[in-house]
Amino acid sequence: MILPIYIYGQPVLRKVAEDIPADMPGLEELIQDMFETLTESEGVGLAAPQVGKAIRVVVIDLDVISDDLPEYKGFRKAFINPHIVEYDDAKTDTMEEGCLSLPAIHENVTRPTRIHVRYLDDQLQEHDEWVEGYLARVMQHEFDHLDGKVFIDRISPLRKQLIKNKLRAVQQGRFRCGYRTKVATRK
């Protein structure tokens, strides 16, 4: 089932997500729904808070960019209770990022190119590994959602000030995108 994407301004996007029990009822179905939603919205990653759930689940599908990055051919993976253990700050890279929860907003974000992560896969197998390159960037972006952060939290205060009208428009539902969304209700 395709789920609506929660848009910037929704409180769930600012909550720190909880670890879940590996035998959580409905987990397999949620992961399947998140992959369907990700495919429909043409993204590469989706965190559970983006579909209204404050739990530590992320799906990433890099097969969609495998024409440009062939090393990711067939890469489609779920991450349960993922945590970044360590950042290797020796080398960073700046790249434009966007987010399904912030339609039509793209900004340059600097991140470490290598991270140490721990997570369970969808078979509930534990992983403790160093990840680098584009996958490390996508993981950092998606795992930020689990800590109540969005990519614009990683840009300079000046850049954030310069896009404040765009951010306000997104919060108010004044944007266009090709997928189902859920905008915060105005008070």
Side-chain angles (χ1 to χ4, degrees):
M1 173 172 62
I2 295 169
L3 306 168
I5 304 283
Y6 281 55
I7 298 300
Y8 180 71
Q10 283 280 6
V12 70
L13 295 175
R14 292 304 192 176
K15 287 184 179 170
V16 175
E18 300 282 328
D19 279 340
I20 59 168
D23 62 350
M24 181 184 113
L27 179 59
E28 192 174 316
E29 183 180 348
L30 173 64
I31 289 170
Q32 182 180 331
D33 290 348
M34 286 176 67
F35 271 122
E36 280 183 47
T37 302
L38 181 62
T39 300
E40 179 71 18
S41 58
E42 299 180 354
V44 295
L46 186 65
Q50 293 180 275
V51 293
K53 310 240 181 258
I55 58 174
R56 295 189 80 85
V57 177
V58 165
V59 296
I60 295 175
D61 181 354
L62 296 183
D63 186 60
V64 297
I65 60 163
S66 63
D67 286 348
D68 294 325
L69 298 170
E71 64 269 30
Y72 295 119
K73 182 79 180 150
F75 188 98
R76 185 175 157 98
K77 197 168 183 176
F79 300 85
I80 301 163
N81 297 335
H83 291 273
I84 296 175
V85 179
E86 184 179 354
Y87 295 89
D88 180 353
D89 292 323
K91 186 177 176 200
T92 61
D93 185 33
T94 301
M95 183 180 274
E96 186 177 83
E97 291 188 19
C99 181
L100 296 173
S101 293
L102 287 144
I105 295 179
H106 298 85
E107 289 292 325
N108 286 328
V109 178
T110 301
R111 297 186 186 269
T113 59
R114 188 168 176 263
I115 56 172
H116 179 196
V117 295
R118 286 194 187 116
Y119 62 92
L120 299 174
D121 63 24
D122 60 352
Q123 301 301 307
L124 305 180
Q125 298 299 305
E126 285 188 49
H127 295 263
D128 184 334
E129 59 196 23
W130 283 92
V131 178
E132 55 190 83
Y134 190 70
L135 176 58
R137 172 170 294 276
V138 174
M139 287 174 130
Q140 288 173 78
H141 177 108
E142 297 307 330
F143 296 0
D144 271 356
H145 281 297
L146 305 179
D147 294 326
K149 295 182 176 134
V150 290
F151 80 94
I152 58 166
D153 297 334
R154 304 235 179 243
I155 63 176
S156 73
L158 176 61
R159 276 305 307 157
K160 201 165 181 180
Q161 183 66 27
L162 291 171
I163 64 168
K164 77 175 184 181
N165 289 338
K166 285 184 181 179
L167 292 172
R168 188 176 306 115
V170 166
Q171 285 181 300
Q172 294 172 349
R174 293 184 289 125
F175 59 85
R176 288 188 190 168
C177 63
Y179 47 88
R180 286 180 55 209
T181 61
K182 186 168 174 100
V183 178
T185 54
R186 289 182 229 154
K187 294 179 181 172

